[in-house]
Amino acid sequence: MKKIAFFLILISALLSCAQEEPVAPELNLDKTELSLTNAESETSVNLVSTQPWSSSVNVQWLTVEPKNGDAAPSGVEVKMPVPANRNPRERVATVTFRSGDISKTGKVAQA
């Protein structure tokens, strides 16, 4: 009986030490192009990532909240508050999201 109990404990320990298979890298955005009026507003994208992710923006007038995060396989809403554009010309921001070796770019245009 002791041998059976020892054997079961040994198998349980070995199975708990087994490594999980790595998750395939994935990074997706529900929108990659956003067009806004010149009024102050907030827009967002839904980001799905199987690994930690980060973002960067090429302009100062647009911010991303949150700027980075843990893996979000079910998706996370990334908000982008946008101040009013007082210039009569359209302005465009490029937002780049990165996760591991993957990057996705989105554009926010404001008239």
Side-chain angles (χ1 to χ4, degrees), residues 55-75:
S55 66
S56 60
V57 183
N58 72 331
V59 296
Q60 292 183 353
W61 57 266
L62 182 71
T63 58
V64 175
E65 299 170 1
K67 293 181 182 181
N68 53 54
D70 294 327
S74 298

Side-chain angles (χ1 to χ4, degrees), residues 36-43 61 81-87 91 109-111:
L36 307 171
T37 67
N38 66 339
E40 179 179 344
S41 62
E42 180 176 274
T43 190
W61 57 266
V82 182
N85 181 6
R86 299 199 186 330
N87 190 321
R91 60 184 180 181
Q110 186 182 31

Side-chain angles (χ1 to χ4, degrees), residues 2-40:
K2 288 182 183 179
K3 288 183 180 180
I4 292 174
F6 175 76
F7 182 70
L8 291 174
I9 292 171
L10 180 62
I11 288 180
S12 176
L14 289 174
L15 290 176
S16 68
C17 291
Q19 293 184 359
E20 294 180 22
E21 289 193 29
V23 176
E26 179 183 347
L27 177 63
N28 289 306
L29 304 172
D30 68 337
K31 298 173 260 187
T32 57
E33 292 193 23
L34 300 163
S35 266
L36 307 171
T37 67
N38 66 339
E40 179 179 344

